[in-house]
Amino acid sequence: MPLIDLRSDTVTKPTPAMRRAMFEAEVGDDVYQEDPTVNRLEARAAEVLGKEAALFVPSGCMGNTIGIKLLTRHGEEVIAEARGHLLNYELSMAAWFSGCLVRPVAAPDGILTWDLIAPQVRPRGPHWAATGCIELENTHNMAGGTVYPQDVFDDVCDRAHAHGLPVHLDGARLFNAAAALGRPVSELCAKADTVMVCLSKGLGAPVGSMLAGPAALMDDARLYRKRLGGGMRQAGILAAAGLIALEQMPARMAEDHANARFLAEGLGALPGVRVLNPEPATNIVVFEAPEPARLSADLKARGVLINPISETALRAVTHYDVTREDCAQALAAVQEVVTPCRSH
Ligand code: TLP
């Protein structure tokens, strides 16, 4: 029985079109910037994101790491949302590579407003580390794939800039946000100085993310990528899938969002389950249930993979490898394990 894998949208396998493009990809040595397929992907990503230049990086973590490095100086602080990926899931790379402390700010639904950020902004001073940049996450993963209202996002960027602070956008799922808002992705990130988007999540590419921003910054980013071991040589094999991801996959994301809503509704109707985002805007459902670790193990035994994200909550993520039928089966499995042995 094939597994129904709702652990993350990182688990997607390349589509037949991606596999074909990878097979046929024209390649060269990308460290010499001679891989025509990588060059095409970088040019196209820059265009789609509305930035001067873009760089193909192996992972979202590396894209964020380089983005923070570009916008900060050693010893500064980065203001980020408390449940954000940068602070919690990147092995403290902001500290390790950029020498920066992340200053966490808790925000409802993971959506930072300038009012929440302002009290945490620190100028140069004799005792404290000055703020170097602001980092925003759109969609916000652990808050349940929440989407920044565009006016809030733009306002944070404008006010940050007025304070001389640049903004890095962790847009791992920015295409989901764009699909939810029905707006081009370039509009969503227009005011961010640097943006990272993942090709290997909802867009389905096997590997890779894009970092985009001003051309001069991307020249530096290329060197940081090399330092981090991200000089990928004949990476056109991977970039070929990335191009398909950019062109073909955004159009179908509404399907994933509808499946997430279906899951949230079904989960919400189960006794003992509390959905924390009952109307998911994108492809992530976060829900509380008794004994998440046991529940996850029992689901696995029934062919459904859903991971706990804390002592009290689990996260289910929809993507193109799970159908509506799979979601219905997953719901039936949750119902079985969350309310076991009713007859006893
Ligand atoms: N997120 C993964 C895990 O690391 C938690 C997932 O399963 O959701 N930014 C955001 C908002 C992300 O969700 C992720 C991955 C990344 C960055 C890092 O991307 P990768 O995994 O490509 O390094």
Side-chain angles (χ1 to χ4, degrees):
M1 181 179 63
L3 290 170
I4 298 170
D5 196 343
L6 294 162
R7 286 172 302 170
S8 182
D9 45 13
T10 58
V11 301
T12 48
K13 311 249 172 31
T15 64
M18 286 178 192
R19 289 175 189 271
R20 252 190 326 273
M22 292 170 82
F23 180 74
E24 289 165 4
E26 211 187 325
V27 297
D29 191 327
D30 182 51
V31 172
Y32 297 116
Q33 294 181 240
E34 286 173 2
D35 187 302
T37 312
V38 172
N39 292 344
R40 258 198 311 132
L41 173 65
E42 291 182 345
R44 182 66 184 135
E47 195 172 50
V48 169
L49 294 167
K51 300 292 182 199
E52 262 177 29
L55 187 73
F56 186 42
V57 290
S59 69
C61 283
M62 192 187 286
N64 282 340
T65 296
I66 297 173
I68 297 302
K69 179 71 187 161
L70 291 169
L71 301 183
T72 56
R73 289 192 304 185
H74 216 83
E76 290 183 332
E77 287 192 352
V78 177
I79 292 178
E81 206 282 324
R83 284 173 288 170
H85 199 273
L86 182 79
L87 176 61
N88 298 290
Y89 302 97
E90 300 193 7
L91 292 131
S92 69
M93 275 303 271
W96 197 83
F97 191 62
S98 301
C100 288
L101 195 69
V102 177
R103 170 76 45 192
V105 179
D109 295 328
I111 304 299
L112 283 170
T113 60
W114 186 255
D115 284 350
L116 292 169
I117 292 171
Q120 306 300 331
V121 173
R122 297 179 167 198
R124 269 170 72 110
H127 300 298
W128 50 81
T131 306
C133 79
I134 311 292
E135 194 258 9
L136 305 175
E137 188 175 312
N138 195 14
T139 69
H140 192 295
N141 184 350
M142 290 299 155
T146 47
V147 177
Y148 266 85
Q150 200 54 42
D151 56 338
V152 173
F153 185 89
D154 290 347
D155 182 61
V156 169
C157 292
D158 286 341
R159 311 261 216 128
H161 292 152
H163 284 74
L165 296 173
V167 177
H168 173 72
L169 169 57
D170 176 346
R173 298 185 178 81
L174 195 63
F175 284 87
N176 294 90
L181 294 176
R183 297 164 98 149
V185 82
S186 58
E187 223 176 89
L188 273 63
C189 62
K191 288 187 184 248
D193 298 84
T194 51
V195 53
M196 182 284 289
V197 295
C198 289
L199 303 171
S200 64
K201 296 196 166 60
L203 296 184
V207 177
S209 295
M210 304 305 302
L211 178 68
L217 284 189
M218 292 305 112
D219 284 348
D220 291 346
R222 193 174 290 281
L223 304 185
Y224 290 128
R225 182 184 69 176
K226 189 70 165 61
R227 284 201 171 98
L228 287 166
M232 291 188 288
R233 307 296 177 184
Q234 286 72 42
I237 296 277
L238 301 173
L243 275 161
I244 305 277
L246 274 185
E247 304 303 346
Q248 295 184 3
M249 302 303 273
R252 54 153 311 285
M253 286 190 141
E255 212 179 295
D256 300 340
H257 299 176
N259 282 338
R261 281 194 297 278
F262 173 77
L263 269 182
E265 222 177 277
L267 287 167
L270 299 178
V273 175
R274 189 164 82 94
V275 180
L276 298 185
N277 60 329
E279 290 175 11
T282 57
N283 66 330
I284 298 177
V285 184
V286 179
F287 61 100
E288 286 181 343
E291 301 178 85
R294 196 238 346 132
L295 186 69
S296 177
D298 288 355
L299 286 172
K300 187 172 180 185
R302 287 164 173 75
V304 176
L305 303 182
I306 298 180
N307 274 347
I309 53 167
S310 70
E311 292 299 307
T312 53
L314 301 101
R315 180 187 71 152
V317 186
T318 57
H319 49 79
Y320 81 87
D321 274 340
V322 289
T323 61
R324 176 59 63 97
E325 177 52 32
D326 292 335
C327 293
Q329 275 186 42
L331 279 175
V334 176
Q335 181 164 21
E336 260 179 60
V337 299
V338 88
T339 51
C341 311
R342 259 193 255 177
S343 55
H344 290 189

